[in-house]
Amino acid sequence: MRPHRTAAALAAAALGGSLVVAAATPAAARPDSLRHHLIAAYDFDHPVRGNPAGERDRGRSGTAIDLVNGGAAMRVRDGRGHALQTGQRPGANDDWKAGTYSATGVTSLRAFNAVREVTIMGWFKTTGQNPSPNTNTPEPDDLYNAVGLAGILSGNSAGHDVRALLEVINVSGELRVVALARRVDGSASQTFAASEPWQSVLPPNTWVHLTATFDFDNAVMRLYKNGRPLDGFTTVAGDPWAVEGPPEPDVTTATDPRGIKIGGSFPQNDREQNPCACRMDGLKFFDRALTGREVLRLAR
Protein backbone atom coordinates (compact mmCIF):
# COMPACT_ATOMS: atom_id res chain seq x y z
CA MET A 1 0.00 0.00 0.00
CA ARG A 2 1.26 3.46 -0.87
CA PRO A 3 2.29 5.25 2.37
CA HIS A 4 0.18 8.20 3.48
CA ARG A 5 1.65 11.54 2.51
CA THR A 6 1.13 14.84 4.26
CA ALA A 7 -0.67 17.72 2.60
CA ALA A 8 2.70 19.43 2.14
CA ALA A 9 4.12 16.39 0.39
CA LEU A 10 1.07 16.11 -1.86
CA ALA A 11 1.35 19.80 -2.72
CA ALA A 12 5.02 19.39 -3.55
CA ALA A 13 4.22 16.46 -5.84
CA ALA A 14 1.42 18.42 -7.47
CA LEU A 15 3.89 21.20 -8.27
CA GLY A 16 6.11 18.81 -10.12
CA GLY A 17 7.79 16.46 -7.69
CA SER A 18 11.10 17.18 -6.04
CA LEU A 19 11.57 20.16 -3.76
CA VAL A 20 15.28 20.17 -4.53
CA VAL A 21 15.86 23.15 -6.80
CA ALA A 22 19.10 24.67 -8.04
CA ALA A 23 20.32 27.37 -5.67
CA ALA A 24 20.52 29.84 -8.55
CA THR A 25 16.77 29.65 -9.13
CA PRO A 26 15.07 32.87 -7.93
CA ALA A 27 13.01 32.22 -4.82
CA ALA A 28 9.80 33.44 -6.46
CA ALA A 29 10.13 30.75 -9.14
CA ARG A 30 10.90 27.80 -6.88
CA PRO A 31 8.19 25.16 -6.47
CA ASP A 32 8.67 25.14 -2.68
CA SER A 33 7.88 28.87 -2.56
CA LEU A 34 4.50 28.13 -4.17
CA ARG A 35 3.59 25.12 -2.05
CA HIS A 36 1.86 27.18 0.62
CA HIS A 37 -0.19 28.99 -2.03
CA LEU A 38 -1.36 25.82 -3.82
CA ILE A 39 -4.81 25.55 -2.26
CA ALA A 40 -6.31 22.82 -4.47
CA ALA A 41 -4.85 20.52 -7.15
CA TYR A 42 -6.26 17.58 -9.08
CA ASP A 43 -4.46 15.14 -11.37
CA PHE A 44 -7.26 12.53 -11.63
CA ASP A 45 -4.95 9.73 -10.57
CA HIS A 46 -6.01 9.88 -6.91
CA PRO A 47 -9.58 8.66 -6.26
CA VAL A 48 -11.03 9.25 -2.83
CA ARG A 49 -10.46 6.10 -0.82
CA GLY A 50 -13.64 4.03 -0.94
CA ASN A 51 -15.27 6.40 -3.44
CA PRO A 52 -13.99 6.16 -7.03
CA ALA A 53 -16.47 8.89 -8.04
CA GLY A 54 -14.49 11.35 -5.91
CA GLU A 55 -11.04 12.86 -6.52
CA ARG A 56 -8.56 13.74 -3.78
CA ASP A 57 -7.08 17.20 -3.49
CA ARG A 58 -3.28 17.29 -3.79
CA GLY A 59 -3.15 20.89 -2.60
CA ARG A 60 -3.14 21.95 1.04
CA SER A 61 -6.89 22.48 1.50
CA GLY A 62 -7.98 18.85 1.26
CA THR A 63 -11.01 19.76 -0.85
CA ALA A 64 -12.19 16.57 -2.55
CA ILE A 65 -14.32 16.97 -5.68
CA ASP A 66 -17.03 14.82 -7.25
CA LEU A 67 -16.88 13.38 -10.75
CA VAL A 68 -20.48 14.20 -11.59
CA ASN A 69 -22.74 11.86 -13.60
CA GLY A 70 -19.90 9.71 -14.95
CA GLY A 71 -18.03 8.77 -11.78
CA ALA A 72 -14.92 6.66 -12.27
CA ALA A 73 -15.64 6.33 -16.01
CA MET A 74 -14.63 9.97 -16.36
CA ARG A 75 -11.01 9.05 -15.63
CA VAL A 76 -9.53 8.14 -19.00
CA ARG A 77 -6.05 7.04 -19.92
CA ASP A 78 -4.19 9.81 -21.71
CA GLY A 79 -0.43 10.21 -21.65
CA ARG A 80 1.37 8.87 -18.59
CA GLY A 81 -1.70 8.70 -16.41
CA HIS A 82 -5.37 9.59 -16.28
CA ALA A 83 -7.18 12.72 -17.39
CA LEU A 84 -10.71 13.90 -16.68
CA GLN A 85 -13.21 13.55 -19.53
CA THR A 86 -16.06 16.05 -19.43
CA GLY A 87 -18.86 16.89 -21.82
CA GLN A 88 -22.50 16.67 -22.74
CA ARG A 89 -24.37 13.37 -22.71
CA PRO A 90 -27.83 12.55 -24.11
CA GLY A 91 -30.51 14.04 -21.91
CA ALA A 92 -31.25 17.34 -20.25
CA ASN A 93 -29.09 17.18 -17.13
CA ASP A 94 -26.49 14.46 -17.28
CA ASP A 95 -23.40 16.29 -18.51
CA TRP A 96 -20.08 14.98 -17.24
CA LYS A 97 -18.42 17.65 -15.09
CA ALA A 98 -16.64 17.85 -11.77
CA GLY A 99 -16.50 20.00 -8.67
CA THR A 100 -17.98 20.53 -5.25
CA TYR A 101 -20.76 22.71 -3.89
CA SER A 102 -22.17 23.83 -0.55
CA ALA A 103 -24.89 26.45 -0.15
CA THR A 104 -23.27 27.54 3.12
CA GLY A 105 -19.76 27.82 1.64
CA VAL A 106 -16.94 25.30 1.41
CA THR A 107 -14.87 25.99 4.51
CA SER A 108 -11.80 24.16 3.21
CA LEU A 109 -11.60 26.83 0.47
CA ARG A 110 -11.35 29.67 3.00
CA ALA A 111 -8.04 30.76 1.46
CA PHE A 112 -10.23 32.31 -1.27
CA ASN A 113 -12.27 34.24 1.31
CA ALA A 114 -11.28 37.96 1.23
CA VAL A 115 -8.48 36.99 -1.13
CA ARG A 116 -6.30 39.56 -2.88
CA GLU A 117 -5.02 37.37 -5.75
CA VAL A 118 -5.85 34.05 -7.46
CA THR A 119 -4.35 31.82 -10.16
CA ILE A 120 -6.15 29.01 -12.02
CA MET A 121 -4.19 26.76 -14.36
CA GLY A 122 -4.32 23.35 -16.00
CA TRP A 123 -3.97 21.24 -19.12
CA PHE A 124 -6.95 21.22 -21.49
CA LYS A 125 -7.76 19.31 -24.69
CA THR A 126 -10.99 19.82 -26.62
CA THR A 127 -12.47 16.49 -27.78
CA GLY A 128 -15.82 17.31 -29.42
CA GLN A 129 -18.34 19.99 -30.27
CA ASN A 130 -17.86 23.23 -28.37
CA PRO A 131 -20.08 25.03 -27.52
CA SER A 132 -22.61 22.28 -26.98
CA PRO A 133 -26.31 22.28 -27.93
CA ASN A 134 -28.30 24.26 -25.36
CA THR A 135 -30.64 21.91 -23.49
CA ASN A 136 -32.25 24.82 -21.64
CA THR A 137 -34.09 26.15 -24.71
CA PRO A 138 -36.69 24.50 -26.97
CA GLU A 139 -34.81 25.36 -30.17
CA PRO A 140 -32.76 22.37 -31.38
CA ASP A 141 -30.15 24.57 -33.08
CA ASP A 142 -29.43 26.76 -30.05
CA LEU A 143 -25.93 26.51 -28.63
CA TYR A 144 -24.63 27.59 -25.23
CA ASN A 145 -22.73 30.88 -25.35
CA ALA A 146 -19.79 29.54 -23.33
CA VAL A 147 -17.60 26.53 -22.62
CA GLY A 148 -16.73 26.08 -18.94
CA LEU A 149 -13.15 25.13 -18.08
CA ALA A 150 -12.42 25.65 -14.36
CA GLY A 151 -13.46 28.18 -11.76
CA ILE A 152 -13.98 29.10 -8.11
CA LEU A 153 -17.58 29.94 -7.21
CA SER A 154 -18.52 33.16 -5.44
CA GLY A 155 -19.78 33.17 -1.87
CA ASN A 156 -23.40 33.54 -2.92
CA SER A 157 -23.34 31.43 -6.09
CA ALA A 158 -26.18 29.10 -7.04
CA GLY A 159 -23.59 27.03 -8.89
CA HIS A 160 -22.83 29.32 -11.81
CA ASP A 161 -21.60 32.75 -10.64
CA VAL A 162 -17.88 32.82 -9.96
CA ARG A 163 -15.19 34.60 -8.03
CA ALA A 164 -12.58 33.58 -10.64
CA LEU A 165 -12.96 31.56 -13.83
CA LEU A 166 -11.13 30.29 -16.89
CA GLU A 167 -13.49 29.63 -19.81
CA VAL A 168 -14.42 30.23 -23.45
CA ILE A 169 -17.29 32.71 -23.84
CA ASN A 170 -18.99 34.86 -26.45
CA VAL A 171 -17.48 38.35 -26.47
CA SER A 172 -19.24 40.79 -28.80
CA GLY A 173 -20.38 37.97 -31.05
CA GLU A 174 -17.11 36.03 -31.11
CA LEU A 175 -16.00 33.16 -28.88
CA ARG A 176 -12.81 33.88 -26.96
CA VAL A 177 -10.72 32.29 -24.21
CA VAL A 178 -11.16 34.49 -21.16
CA ALA A 179 -10.32 35.09 -17.55
CA LEU A 180 -13.46 36.28 -15.78
CA ALA A 181 -13.79 37.40 -12.17
CA ARG A 182 -16.08 39.11 -9.69
CA ARG A 183 -14.55 40.86 -6.68
CA VAL A 184 -17.78 41.56 -4.77
CA ASP A 185 -20.42 38.86 -4.41
CA GLY A 186 -23.48 39.73 -6.47
CA SER A 187 -21.76 42.68 -8.14
CA ALA A 188 -20.32 43.22 -11.61
CA SER A 189 -17.70 40.99 -13.17
CA GLN A 190 -14.78 41.90 -15.41
CA THR A 191 -13.51 39.83 -18.34
CA PHE A 192 -10.06 39.72 -19.90
CA ALA A 193 -10.35 38.16 -23.37
CA ALA A 194 -7.55 36.73 -25.48
CA SER A 195 -7.14 38.46 -28.82
CA GLU A 196 -6.11 35.21 -30.53
CA PRO A 197 -9.04 33.17 -31.94
CA TRP A 198 -10.16 30.60 -29.41
CA GLN A 199 -9.63 27.61 -31.71
CA SER A 200 -6.06 28.78 -32.22
CA VAL A 201 -5.58 28.92 -28.45
CA LEU A 202 -7.30 25.54 -28.01
CA PRO A 203 -6.85 23.59 -31.27
CA PRO A 204 -8.89 20.36 -31.45
CA ASN A 205 -7.45 17.23 -29.84
CA THR A 206 -4.32 19.04 -28.66
CA TRP A 207 -3.15 19.40 -25.08
CA VAL A 208 -2.67 23.05 -24.14
CA HIS A 209 -1.58 24.50 -20.80
CA LEU A 210 -3.74 27.52 -19.89
CA THR A 211 -3.32 29.88 -16.95
CA ALA A 212 -5.42 32.79 -15.72
CA THR A 213 -4.13 35.15 -13.00
CA PHE A 214 -6.29 37.59 -11.05
CA ASP A 215 -5.03 40.60 -9.07
CA PHE A 216 -8.11 42.09 -7.45
CA ASP A 217 -6.23 44.88 -5.68
CA ASN A 218 -4.82 46.32 -8.90
CA ALA A 219 -7.69 45.18 -11.17
CA VAL A 220 -5.35 43.20 -13.42
CA MET A 221 -5.97 39.85 -15.12
CA ARG A 222 -3.63 37.91 -17.40
CA LEU A 223 -3.84 34.83 -19.61
CA TYR A 224 -1.04 32.44 -20.58
CA LYS A 225 -0.84 29.64 -23.15
CA ASN A 226 1.87 27.04 -22.60
CA GLY A 227 3.51 29.44 -20.17
CA ARG A 228 3.62 32.39 -22.56
CA PRO A 229 1.45 35.53 -22.16
CA LEU A 230 -1.56 35.94 -24.43
CA ASP A 231 -2.38 39.39 -25.73
CA GLY A 232 -5.88 40.47 -24.81
CA PHE A 233 -8.27 43.18 -23.67
CA THR A 234 -10.77 43.87 -20.91
CA THR A 235 -14.40 43.97 -21.97
CA VAL A 236 -15.98 46.23 -19.33
CA ALA A 237 -15.09 49.92 -19.16
CA GLY A 238 -14.75 51.82 -15.91
CA ASP A 239 -14.36 50.23 -12.50
CA PRO A 240 -16.62 47.14 -12.35
CA TRP A 241 -14.69 45.73 -9.38
CA ALA A 242 -15.05 48.99 -7.43
CA VAL A 243 -11.36 49.17 -6.52
CA GLU A 244 -10.92 52.93 -6.85
CA GLY A 245 -10.51 54.75 -3.56
CA PRO A 246 -10.24 53.45 0.02
CA PRO A 247 -10.13 51.11 1.79
CA GLU A 248 -6.98 49.33 0.70
CA PRO A 249 -6.06 46.68 -0.20
CA ASP A 250 -8.96 45.58 -2.38
CA VAL A 251 -9.92 41.96 -1.74
CA THR A 252 -12.89 39.78 -2.57
CA THR A 253 -15.97 39.51 -0.39
CA ALA A 254 -15.23 37.87 2.96
CA THR A 255 -17.28 34.75 2.24
CA ASP A 256 -16.17 31.18 1.69
CA PRO A 257 -16.60 30.15 -1.95
CA ARG A 258 -19.54 27.85 -2.48
CA GLY A 259 -17.30 25.46 -4.37
CA ILE A 260 -15.33 24.70 -7.49
CA LYS A 261 -16.75 24.01 -10.94
CA ILE A 262 -14.89 22.09 -13.65
CA GLY A 263 -16.10 21.41 -17.19
CA GLY A 264 -19.41 23.21 -16.74
CA SER A 265 -21.58 24.90 -14.14
CA PHE A 266 -23.78 23.68 -11.28
CA PRO A 267 -21.54 21.05 -9.68
CA GLN A 268 -24.45 20.17 -7.37
CA ASN A 269 -26.00 18.75 -10.57
CA ASP A 270 -29.39 20.47 -10.61
CA ARG A 271 -28.89 21.98 -14.07
CA GLU A 272 -26.72 21.70 -17.17
CA GLN A 273 -24.88 24.85 -18.29
CA ASN A 274 -21.88 25.41 -20.59
CA PRO A 275 -20.56 21.84 -20.74
CA CYS A 276 -17.06 21.35 -22.13
CA ALA A 277 -16.31 18.50 -24.53
CA CYS A 278 -12.81 18.30 -23.13
CA ARG A 279 -10.14 16.40 -21.30
CA MET A 280 -8.43 18.11 -18.38
CA ASP A 281 -5.43 17.34 -16.20
CA GLY A 282 -3.14 18.99 -13.69
CA LEU A 283 -5.70 21.53 -12.47
CA LYS A 284 -4.28 23.92 -9.86
CA PHE A 285 -5.83 26.74 -7.83
CA PHE A 286 -3.49 29.20 -6.05
CA ASP A 287 -4.28 32.04 -3.64
CA ARG A 288 -1.69 34.24 -5.34
CA ALA A 289 -1.30 35.72 -8.82
CA LEU A 290 1.70 33.82 -10.16
CA THR A 291 4.37 35.72 -12.05
CA GLY A 292 5.13 35.06 -15.69
CA ARG A 293 8.31 33.24 -14.67
CA GLU A 294 6.39 30.98 -12.30
CA VAL A 295 3.71 30.21 -14.88
CA LEU A 296 6.33 29.30 -17.48
CA ARG A 297 8.14 27.04 -15.03
CA LEU A 298 5.00 25.14 -14.09
CA ALA A 299 3.80 24.89 -17.71
CA ARG A 300 7.08 23.23 -18.59
Side-chain angles (χ1 to χ4, degrees), residues 28-291:
R30 295 178 191 169
D32 54 330
S33 72
L34 298 180
R35 184 176 63 196
H36 176 75
H37 296 285
L38 181 61
I39 307 305
Y42 308 98
D43 65 3
F44 306 104
D45 283 310
H46 292 83
V48 172
R49 292 182 179 90
N51 177 21
E55 180 70 19
R56 292 168 57 199
D57 177 9
R58 302 184 74 211
R60 69 178 179 87
S61 74
T63 307
I65 58 174
D66 299 316
L67 309 188
V68 180
N69 287 319
M74 295 169 64
R75 290 187 189 88
V76 295
R77 283 280 179 186
D78 198 323
R80 291 180 293 177
H82 292 90
L84 175 72
Q85 179 71 60
T86 63
Q88 194 172 58
R89 293 295 183 273
N93 187 38
D94 57 359
D95 54 321
W96 284 10
K97 54 194 171 190
T100 187
Y101 181 83
S102 170
T104 58
V106 178
T107 57
S108 60
L109 296 175
R110 188 153 293 169
F112 299 117
N113 175 321
V115 70
R116 187 172 176 173
E117 300 175 351
V118 170
T119 294
I120 300 172
M121 66 168 55
W123 289 93
F124 302 91
K125 177 167 72 172
T126 61
T127 58
Q129 180 183 356
N130 288 301
S132 300
N134 190 338
T135 58
N136 296 313
T137 73
E139 298 300 324
D141 295 331
D142 282 354
L143 301 177
Y144 289 106
N145 74 338
V147 181
L149 297 176
I152 301 164
L153 298 178
S154 63
N156 65 345
S157 178
H160 181 66
D161 287 352
V162 292
R163 189 156 287 168
L165 175 68
L166 182 58
E167 73 170 349
V168 178
I169 195 170
N170 190 307
V171 176
S172 300
E174 186 173 351
L175 287 171
R176 295 186 183 275
V177 174
V178 306
L180 183 152
R182 177 178 290 100
R183 188 179 75 84
V184 178
D185 287 355
S187 189
S189 63
Q190 176 63 284
T191 300
F192 179 81
S195 300
E196 186 178 335
W198 85 271
Q199 288 183 316
S200 173
V201 178
L202 283 169
N205 298 304
T206 303
W207 281 109
V208 175
H209 191 272
L210 291 180
T211 302
T213 65
F214 308 84
D215 179 346
F216 293 102
D217 191 29
N218 294 298
V220 173
M221 292 184 285
R222 292 187 172 91
L223 285 167
Y224 300 82
K225 173 187 175 182
N226 295 330
R228 302 293 184 182
L230 284 168
D231 290 334
F233 55 94
T234 55
T235 66
V236 181
D239 183 26
W241 286 353
V243 299
E244 295 178 1
E248 297 292 343
D250 295 289
V251 298
T252 65
T253 301
T255 53
D256 294 338
R258 288 193 173 180
I260 288 173
K261 64 177 186 177
I262 297 167
S265 290
F266 302 100
Q268 71 272 39
N269 203 30
D270 57 6
R271 181 175 173 176
E272 177 180 288
Q273 188 78 32
N274 303 337
C276 181
C278 299
R279 290 185 178 179
M280 307 182 187
D281 204 358
L283 300 182
K284 298 180 177 68
F285 301 81
F286 297 86
D287 67 350
R288 183 163 71 74
L290 272 59
T291 66

